[in-house]
Amino acid sequence: MAVLERELARLREQAAHTCSEAAAARADAAAARVLAAGTGRDVSEVRVELRVHTQALNALREIHLGQAREMREGFAETREGFAKQASGMVQITALLTKIAEAEEPN
């Protein structure tokens, strides 16, 4: 009888241990579900922020491209102005040379 009582006590202890393990597993699963739900919300928030940052970067890119285009146009106008000035200087030099040659005594 003592052997049976010891075996029954061992089985009860094992059952209690198994129940506590099952309860711990249920608690872990519940915690994992809570974390997974929170992660889903976090991912959604990060996606929204990423979308906003992408839109801001695209807007900055458009501004940069517009400014670059304006600079190229401005440089082209400046080059054209310098070319006209150089042409004018050539003409002035030619006229001054003619005047100087005409005033030289032979």
Side-chain angles (χ1 to χ4, degrees), residues 2-106:
V3 172
L4 287 176
E5 287 176 353
R6 279 195 303 269
E7 184 63 20
L8 182 59
R10 188 186 67 75
L11 289 173
R12 283 185 181 154
E13 183 178 317
Q14 186 179 6
H17 182 66
T18 301
C19 286
S20 68
E21 285 179 351
R26 283 191 297 276
D28 287 347
R33 284 190 295 275
V34 169
L35 288 174
T39 301
R41 283 190 301 274
D42 290 346
V43 168
S44 295
E45 290 174 10
V46 168
R47 283 183 179 163
V48 168
E49 288 182 27
L50 181 60
R51 192 174 306 116
V52 169
H53 288 179
T54 300
Q55 290 170 347
L57 288 172
N58 285 335
L60 287 172
R61 179 180 181 273
E62 291 300 318
I63 290 169
H64 174 75
L65 290 175
Q67 289 175 341
R69 186 171 31 256
E70 289 175 12
M71 285 179 60
R72 280 192 302 274
E73 291 170 1
F75 286 141
E77 290 173 7
T78 302
R79 280 191 299 274
E80 184 180 322
F82 281 134
K84 286 180 183 177
Q85 184 181 18
S87 175
M89 293 298 286
V90 167
Q91 290 175 355
I92 290 170
T93 303
L95 290 172
L96 288 173
T97 301
K98 276 186 183 180
I99 291 171
E101 287 174 356
E103 291 181 352
E104 283 183 9
N106 290 334

